[in-house]
Amino acid sequence: MTGQPVRLDEQRLARAALTYLAEPGDPALGALLGICEPAEVLAAIKADMLPGTGPGCGDTAASRAALERALGRWRIRLPELPDDAGVAAARCDDIRLICPGDPEWPGALDELGQARPYALWLRGRADLHLSSLRSVSIVGSRAATGYGTHVAGEIAADLGERGWTIVSGGAYGIDAAAHRGALVTHAITIAVLACGVDYPYPAGHAGLFADIAADGLVVSEWPPGRHPARLRFLVRNRVIASLTGGTVVVEAGERSGALNTARHAANLGRVLMAVPGPVTSAQSAGCHLLIREWGGTLVTRAADVIEMLSPVGTADAPATGPAGTPPPSACAPSANSASTGAPSSGPPSSGLPSTGPQSSSPPSSRPLGPGSLGPGPLPSDLPLHRSPPSDPSPSRDDLDLDSARVLDAFPARGHAWPATIAVDAGVDLDTVLRCLGPLAAYGFIERCDNGWRLRRPGRPRG
């Protein structure tokens, strides 16, 4: 159980403010925080001036221009930034903030390099550092089958009985089954959200999140009150993967977001595991892909998972085995090595994945960068703005990251002006104006009397 919240000094207050101004995983902000104190960065944003520069951060004309663009997208959210008292007041109702260097900060997150969270908002009673020392993430499809939810729940419950923490994303399907399996055995479970910790999403899981927070943790990089967006789920997946020593994919199609988490796990050198399913089930095609092409280990029960995550000779006996078997040693991902002492699936790399769930290619060893993690330079294998075809068949997967962020910022109902969209998307106004035309041409949005709105399916264009 945690004690009283740590007082927000100048640097911690600045990190809290940065979670309001910048999207997580922003490479420009990550680079700045590597050479400047958080308070210095925040002051520079408010003053609209570049802070100090360093290698790869403002030391060339190109990187300086990138920093200036970044300042623009951060400054556009300044009007919505609470004052210091408001930021401090966000830590209420069992909500607290932890920052790099705090005793509760998991060192494994530092392996994300410049994509490391600026800070984390927590809701719950458990200690994040201690809870993640012996943990495993279980992820999979939202549209899970009865087979998938049963297996996920059984594996999570068996792991929980042996003292392992279960980490997942709080979504419907496999995530929920994993969380509930841990709760049944009174084990600690951690839900990593793509919205504020006080914003239950999906709404149907408000009770589940309350149960998780009672003895475990609800975790987010976004400040309280922030709503979810499609790309934010891909961004948060790197935290799920990095917190634990290994990731188990229970059920996932070839385009499932769970493969994004698996890619992060493999590229960070974590143990990658997958549960096989019927060869006739499209819901297990992604799991079979992980085993066949990504070097994932086939697992079918908790004992298999423990064997992969435990040093040789210390693995627990199967759940049906004799009692009195020595418990495994704590399997915490180290802060300076991707190895946990267990076999590593996928190519070890300091790189982070640069594609979302639409890619089924094996993890790459691309140097650490934003990729699908946040705004910034686009990876070479994602499409840029393209001229719309004469008979377009639009898909969100065809969009570049800026366009996807802009589209995510549109309200589900009603209209919005470009300036409002810019604030919600976390990009500058020029970027919004540049994206509106292609999005309209592809049929995602349309003009209206009060700005722009999403185009409903079947509504004629123009």
Side-chain angles (χ1 to χ4, degrees), residues 2 16 23 65 67 89 175 202 256 302 336 352 371 384 413 445 448:
T2 60
E23 286 293 309
L67 275 182
D175 288 14
S256 171
N336 59 0
L352 291 177
L384 298 170
R413 298 179 180 84
I445 62 174
C448 61

Side-chain angles (χ1 to χ4, degrees), residues 252-330:
E254 288 189 339
R255 298 169 67 85
S256 171
L259 298 191
N260 177 266
T261 306
R263 182 183 293 274
H264 283 291
N267 282 346
L268 286 166
R270 304 295 193 257
V271 181
L272 180 58
M273 296 159 279
V275 175
V279 296
T280 55
S281 174
Q283 290 296 81
S284 291
C287 295
H288 300 156
L289 177 73
L290 296 181
I291 297 169
R292 184 178 68 249
E293 298 184 13
W294 290 24
T297 299
L298 187 153
V299 295
T300 60
R301 56 181 182 168
D304 298 338
V305 176
I306 293 172
E307 180 181 358
M308 293 302 301
L309 294 176
S310 302
V312 176
T314 62
D316 283 358
T320 56
T325 304
S329 301

Side-chain angles (χ1 to χ4, degrees), residues 346-414:
S349 166
S350 62
L352 291 177
S354 59
T355 57
Q358 70 274 14
S359 172
S360 59
S361 58
S364 68
S365 57
R366 179 173 296 157
L368 196 67
S372 63
L373 302 180
L378 292 172
S380 59
D381 52 354
L382 283 181
L384 298 170
H385 285 301
R386 296 177 293 181
S387 299
S390 56
D391 183 21
S393 299
S395 167
R396 285 177 178 262
D397 292 339
D398 294 329
L399 302 176
D400 64 77
L401 293 176
D402 284 339
S403 295
R405 287 188 180 278
V406 170
L407 184 58
D408 274 349
F410 271 78
R413 298 179 180 84

